[in-house]
Amino acid sequence: MKILRYITITAALFLITFSNAQDPIKISVQEEADAPIVSKHIYGHFAEHLGRCIYEGLYVGEENKIIPNTEGVRNDIIAALKELGIPNLRWPGGCFADTYHWKDGVGPQEDRPTIVNRWWGGTTEDNSFGTHNFLNLCEVLEAEPYLSANVGSGTVQELIDWVQYTNHDGISPMADWRRENGREEPWKVKYWGVGNETWGCGGNMTAEYYADIYRQYATFMPGWSGETEVYRIASGASEDDYHWTETLMKNVPHELMEAVALHDYAVFDWSDKGPSVNFDEEIYFKTMEQALNMEEYVTKHIEIMDKYDPDGKVDLFVDEWGGWYDAEPEVANGVLFQQNTIRDVMIAGTVLNTFNNHARRVKMANLAQMVNVLQAVILTDEEKMIKTPTYHVMHMYKVHHDAKLLPSKVEDNIEYRGLPVVSVSASKDEAGKVHISLVNIDPEKDVEVEVDISTLEIKKIEGNILTSEKLQDHNSFDNPEKVTPKEFKDVKLKKGKISLTIPAHSLIVLQGS
């Protein structure tokens, strides 16, 4: 009798355990003939005159004999960005753009006036890094320059002159001045932002007022670029300001506007953004809650754009995004300087998946920012330079550049405090290789997934993983390789289905061939 009772209890416990076990999350990935190309420009970057981003970061000056440089730009940063394959770079701001007068940054160094950076720390800059430095750097990197023009305190003529200076190959005052300053051929700058955050630091304008101002500026921009198409980007909404997007789409003729911008940072409290390293699980949750809002914002802004532009002539550019925390106090001139942890891996992975999946409209995005500011891919300390965890995300996701989107669907996604745990996007490159990027944001639990790729004729699967023991882990100047990608072997392919377990707080990119 005792033996029978023991067997019955054991069987019951087994059944309870079995019934409570989590079935694998089902994901399907398949080809669609009309699926869009994932533009490489989704993986763009942003460098603003802010803290140690330009000066003491990217640019150390041509007279620097300690740090190897090319025209004042650090050679180690150039090499790192080349390896990353950055497709575009936005400059000079940001809020700084609407106080910047480009003519102060060209010509002989000794003749250039100083500028007080009123937005970021009140520091005085000498304008030694200007238009030539930036555009020459973009040439070296083979990246498209994206110039953000001054509307808030500038003039229409000032912008016209900039377009003429950078793009006109004939005889004109600005083209002649460019030649006098040592540049014979025009740079052929395609991307132009017409103001920045005009609802805030760019002028505190209403949407209706800015729409009229934009029309004025945009009217005079073409005609200086020869065969180069001028791509005019309207200063767009912040987060869920759908009225702003609707006003622009309704009030601006679409032949005057090639793209509308959108800005969104993963900030849960602008007065207390929390630390970049010593955060707890509650702060992590709140940050990810904000980061995952990107899906809703992009979806709803696109719905408005589709309403007024069903043919998709106007693109959506998310030209500022990323994590934003309280600055590290011990860094001199460290305005908006923050460390970069596994939390930032989670932000970058999920947000980039969102952009990939909305590639029909999202044609450019710019991570904020490139060096020493916000969710930077590179940090510097005098002659030292390190690559952050976010750098490695961008490098792992290079496989999606200009690849064809493979629509994916997650069924019965489990939740972490109400947030979807698994994020996914997939694409197929010109060589026929399939890449699937997967993120598990749960801070503690591994997640089993099963990916149905039965229609893709994949015979071999391999992958890489980016994770670490703790969410707070990061790369430092003392330990620059703490968080780096590793080969991921615990993946199986059988009968058209991929089976794997995604460890807690980790990002995986699979390659099928």
Side-chain angles (χ1 to χ4, degrees):
M1 190 68 179
K2 288 182 179 180
I3 294 174
L4 180 61
R5 184 180 179 186
Y6 173 78
I7 293 173
T8 303
I9 293 172
T10 302
L13 289 172
F14 174 79
L15 288 172
I16 290 172
T17 302
F18 182 80
S19 64
N20 286 340
Q22 178 66 51
D23 292 332
I25 295 174
K26 300 291 196 299
I27 299 172
S28 60
V29 176
Q30 58 187 9
E31 285 189 273
E32 287 185 3
D34 60 349
I37 298 297
V38 177
S39 172
K40 65 181 180 180
H41 289 294
I42 284 173
Y43 294 85
H45 293 259
F46 174 33
E48 183 171 1
H49 287 245
L50 197 173
R52 293 169 55 248
C53 182
I54 302 296
Y55 301 108
E56 301 179 38
L58 178 72
Y59 183 77
V60 294
E62 297 181 40
E63 303 303 317
N64 193 303
K65 304 302 181 185
I66 299 174
I67 301 174
N69 66 84
T70 300
E71 294 185 5
V73 177
R74 296 178 63 127
N75 288 345
D76 52 3
I77 288 183
I78 290 174
L81 296 177
K82 278 188 172 182
E83 183 184 346
L84 208 53
I86 73 167
N88 66 75
L89 180 58
R90 180 174 179 248
W91 174 86
C95 292
F96 181 83
D98 284 290
T99 58
Y100 180 68
H101 299 283
W102 71 270
K103 293 179 183 179
D104 294 340
V106 300
Q109 293 277 352
E110 62 272 16
D111 296 339
R112 298 183 189 181
T114 58
I115 179 175
V116 176
N117 195 330
R118 67 178 300 275
W119 289 112
W120 306 116
T123 55
T124 297
E125 300 181 6
D126 63 4
N127 271 312
S128 57
F129 185 91
T131 296
H132 285 250
N133 304 82
F134 173 70
L135 296 180
N136 290 346
L137 170 63
C138 288
E139 278 192 335
V140 170
L141 296 175
E142 298 181 352
E144 291 274 7
Y146 172 0
L147 290 175
S148 186
N150 183 345
V151 169
S153 68
T155 65
V156 175
Q157 187 63 51
E158 186 175 12
L159 176 51
I160 293 172
D161 287 348
W162 209 6
V163 176
Q164 186 185 137
Y165 187 90
T166 58
N167 286 7
H168 191 55
D169 59 359
I171 302 301
S172 73
M174 292 298 106
D176 292 345
W177 192 27
R178 180 191 71 235
R179 295 184 184 100
E180 289 175 15
N181 290 328
R183 174 75 184 197
E184 177 65 30
E185 297 298 323
W187 289 281
K188 300 181 180 180
V189 179
K190 177 178 180 178
Y191 296 105
W192 293 85
V194 184
N196 168 79
E197 294 188 358
T198 47
W199 40 263
C201 62
N204 280 306
M205 303 176 190
T206 64
E208 290 76 12
Y209 180 80
Y210 172 68
D212 286 342
I213 291 292
Y214 174 87
R215 290 163 64 126
Q216 179 187 13
Y217 274 76
T219 297
F220 295 98
M221 291 174 67
W224 301 108
S225 301
E227 298 178 355
T228 302
E229 176 189 6
V230 174
Y231 209 92
R232 296 158 295 187
I233 302 122
S235 171
S238 173
E239 300 178 345
D240 59 352
D241 186 355
Y242 304 117
H243 170 73
W244 190 278
T245 297
E246 182 148 23
T247 300
L248 292 180
M249 294 301 297
K250 180 172 60 175
N251 292 0
V252 176
H254 296 167
E255 63 269 19
L256 290 177
M257 179 172 63
E258 282 69 47
V260 173
L262 172 65
H263 289 182
D264 177 45
Y265 290 94
V267 177
F268 59 86
D269 184 347
W270 284 98
S271 63
D272 183 10
K273 294 180 283 292
S276 62
V277 174
N278 298 317
F279 56 89
D280 58 21
E281 196 270 338
E282 182 64 23
I283 290 177
Y284 170 73
F285 162 72
K286 289 180 178 179
T287 303
M288 291 310 303
E289 185 177 36
Q290 294 302 312
L292 294 178
N293 280 340
M294 184 67 81
E295 173 68 32
E296 177 183 335
Y297 298 154
V298 167
T299 298
K300 291 186 176 180
H301 284 288
I302 288 175
E303 287 175 357
I304 294 168
M305 296 176 75
D306 286 346
K307 174 183 174 182
Y308 293 96
D309 177 31
D311 295 331
K313 295 180 180 179
V314 181
D315 295 334
L316 179 62
F317 283 11
V318 189
D319 56 14
E320 286 188 31
W321 68 272
W324 189 330
Y325 321 117
D326 291 333
E328 298 293 326
E330 69 276 9
V331 178
N333 191 27
V335 182
L336 301 195
F337 178 89
Q338 59 189 43
Q339 252 297 351
N340 201 287
T341 68
I342 293 296
R343 172 176 58 173
D344 296 283
V345 172
M346 300 294 96
I347 293 173
T350 55
V351 169
L352 289 170
N353 283 343
T354 292
F355 296 157
N356 289 349
N357 291 329
H358 288 280
R360 178 180 64 87
R361 274 281 190 186
V362 179
K363 299 299 183 181
M364 183 184 286
N366 300 82
L367 175 66
Q369 290 187 12
M370 195 168 70
V371 183
N372 290 333
V373 170
L374 301 180
Q375 194 171 342
V377 294
I378 290 169
L379 301 178
T380 66
D381 179 13
E382 296 181 346
E383 74 279 6
K384 298 178 183 178
M385 187 213 78
I386 58 174
K387 301 171 182 177
T388 69
T390 298
Y391 178 98
H392 296 302
V393 176
M394 300 293 275
H395 193 271
M396 292 171 72
Y397 274 46
K398 272 177 60 177
V399 294
H400 294 303
H401 289 199
D402 286 341
K404 188 172 184 179
L405 180 70
L406 296 176
S408 56
K409 183 179 180 181
V410 182
E411 298 180 7
D412 301 321
N413 204 343
I414 60 175
E415 294 184 345
Y416 157 63
R417 298 179 63 176
L419 305 179
V421 163
V422 173
S423 168
V424 60
S425 69
S427 66
K428 186 176 184 179
D429 66 19
E430 290 184 349
K433 293 180 180 179
V434 170
H435 296 98
I436 304 171
S437 48
L438 299 154
V439 183
N440 171 17
I441 70 165
D442 195 297
E444 296 181 350
K445 297 178 182 178
D446 301 348
V447 177
E448 291 186 37
V449 299
E450 182 181 87
V451 186
D452 187 342
I453 55 168
S454 55
T455 63
L456 300 180
E457 300 181 357
I458 299 299
K459 302 290 192 297
K460 179 183 177 184
I461 198 76
E462 55 189 341
N464 289 290
I465 185 170
L466 185 63
T467 190
S468 193
E469 182 181 354
K470 299 186 298 181
L471 283 168
Q472 295 80 6
D473 286 350
H474 58 279
N475 295 334
S476 66
F477 295 101
D478 294 327
N479 190 0
E481 302 293 325
K482 184 174 181 62
V483 180
T484 54
K486 303 290 191 301
E487 185 179 3
F488 183 74
K489 298 182 178 180
D490 191 16
V491 56
K492 298 178 181 178
L493 173 60
K494 185 177 181 181
K495 296 182 178 179
K497 293 184 178 180
I498 303 170
S499 300
L500 70 152
T501 297
I502 312 175
H505 56 261
S506 66
L507 178 151
I508 294 172
V509 175
L510 301 175
Q511 176 177 289
S513 57

